[in-house]
Every structure is written in structure tokens, then in C-alpha cells.
Amino acid sequence: MTKVSAELISALREKTGAGIMDCKRALEECGCDVEKAVDLLRQRGLAKAAKRAGKVTGEGVIGAYIHAGGKIGVLVEVNCETDFVARTPEFQAFVKDIAMHIAASNPKYIRREEVPEEEILHEKRIYMAQARESGKPEAVLERIAEGRLEKYFQEVCLMDQPFIKNQDINIKTLLDSLIARLGENIRIRRFARFQIGEKD
């Protein structure tokens, strides 16, 4: 069996947020290739998260974060299946991180499914017009617009945004790895972000 160094385990944990033993096993299976181990852990996390997706999330906590001397404030509700998990330090830390992330990244929606169809079509029309103006051939306009839409989702949708503490993963990956570790369905249900001087 491949000998796995503590440095590699630490590097993999930093990238994925997975537990020490999960990281060690993934590195052993992938011959100490960190990138392959990242993919393996994400696949496993997604599989575990998918299994839990139908479970009712009737417990949880509301987290708060105040930033910039009281100029920005966030309330976020994160749900889980049991009060036991809601009280764990790991769950509480996740809620705090999400509130802090929302304060910094200012998403408009939680998931891309929440973005109104008319908003998506409006953005797509703009991107196609921009590409046409820059002289791109008609045949590739659709593909260019789709690529820019992906970037748009990463800007406005919480789940698609790169996590502020680790830009290598997005919020969905962070959530899926928490679900895999805690063994419960966890859902970011809603949030409110307030900023002094913001227009209603």
C-alpha cells in the first residue's frame, strides 16, 4: 500500500474539507495523486449527498454575521435532520462560514433553479449581442453565451460561488462534503443580507 504523508493529507483536506481518514484512504487508492483524490472524494460526497437528498430537514439553526463595523449584516437559515447534528461544532461552523460568505459575495439566489427564466434569457441576449459586436461568427454565439451564463451563475447563485475561504471549491461542494461527514441531509434554506445605504 502507498505510504501517504501528513503533508499530502493536509493538502487534500484543505482542498476538499473531507475528514483525515477519508483523505488518507482516497490518497492511498489514487497513488498519492492529489487531483485524482479530490475527484474521488467529490464523487463519494456527491453519492452520499444524493442518498440523503430526500430526507426531511426539520431541524437546524439561524446564523448571523455582522461585518465592516456594522455596515453589512446577514441572517441565514440552514436546516438538517436532527437537533443533535444542529448542535455539533462542525454544523455551527458551517452556518457561520455561509453567513460570512454571503456577506462577502452577495449572492442573489441560493440555487440556479431559482433564477427567473426571463432573467436568464435577458442575460443570454446581452452575451450574444456582445459576442456578435466583437465579430464572432453566428455559429459560435450560442456556445459563447452559454459559457458566459455559467460565469453569471457563479456570480449570483450561492451554490455556484467559489467559497471565500477556499477558492478551489464552490459552496455546493462544501455542503456535499459536510453531508458526507455528518451523515444527514443539510439544506441552506434562505438568507437575508442587509447593507447600510442599500436601495430598497
Side-chain angles (χ1 to χ4, degrees):
M1 190 176 281
T2 313
K3 181 96 169 78
V4 180
S5 70
E7 288 78 15
L8 277 180
I9 292 170
S10 178
L12 186 56
R13 284 198 80 195
E14 186 67 30
K15 278 179 176 285
T16 63
I20 291 173
M21 291 313 294
D22 287 334
C23 287
K24 184 171 184 287
R25 277 192 291 270
L27 284 162
E28 283 170 353
E29 286 178 45
C30 296
C32 290
D33 185 317
V34 173
E35 292 311 312
K36 282 184 183 169
V38 166
D39 290 342
L40 183 64
L41 284 171
R42 286 188 180 163
Q43 285 161 18
R44 286 179 179 166
L46 285 170
K48 284 186 184 175
K51 275 185 196 167
R52 306 282 337 163
K55 301 284 183 181
V56 176
T57 51
E59 294 293 339
V61 295
I62 293 170
Y65 178 75
I66 308 296
H67 183 66
K71 302 288 187 192
I72 298 171
V74 170
L75 287 173
V76 61
E77 179 181 345
V78 183
N79 299 137
C80 57
E81 294 173 43
T82 65
D83 187 47
F84 172 78
V85 160
R87 290 198 308 265
T88 61
E90 198 168 3
F91 184 87
Q92 300 271 339
F94 174 79
V95 175
K96 187 177 176 189
D97 278 346
I98 293 301
M100 189 192 310
H101 175 94
I102 291 166
S105 298
N106 195 15
K108 284 172 69 178
Y109 308 99
I110 295 175
R111 306 165 184 83
R112 61 174 68 189
E113 293 79 20
E114 296 169 12
V115 183
E117 189 63 29
E118 59 268 26
E119 186 175 327
I120 294 171
L121 292 172
H122 175 73
E123 291 297 321
K124 195 171 180 180
R125 278 196 296 272
I126 291 171
Y127 301 143
M128 287 185 81
Q130 286 172 341
R132 198 175 280 118
E133 284 287 313
S134 69
K136 300 286 189 228
E138 284 292 323
V140 298
L141 294 184
E142 183 82 18
R143 202 167 71 240
I144 289 168
E146 289 294 336
R148 289 186 184 166
L149 259 181
E150 278 300 312
K151 286 199 175 77
Y152 180 72
F153 288 134
Q154 286 171 21
E155 286 170 20
V156 301
C157 300
L158 176 65
M159 288 298 202
D160 290 284
Q161 289 180 333
F163 180 37
I164 54 162
K165 285 186 169 181
N166 180 0
Q167 298 283 308
D168 290 334
I169 61 173
N170 63 17
I171 297 298
K172 184 176 187 323
T173 303
L174 184 72
L175 176 61
D176 286 343
S177 72
L178 184 70
I179 291 168
R181 288 198 304 280
L182 296 183
E184 284 200 6
N185 190 19
I186 296 165
R187 180 170 166 253
I188 301 167
R189 181 161 177 253
R190 56 186 169 172
F191 69 85
R193 184 182 184 276
F194 307 92
Q195 185 162 349
I196 294 294
E198 208 169 38
K199 288 181 182 170
D200 292 337

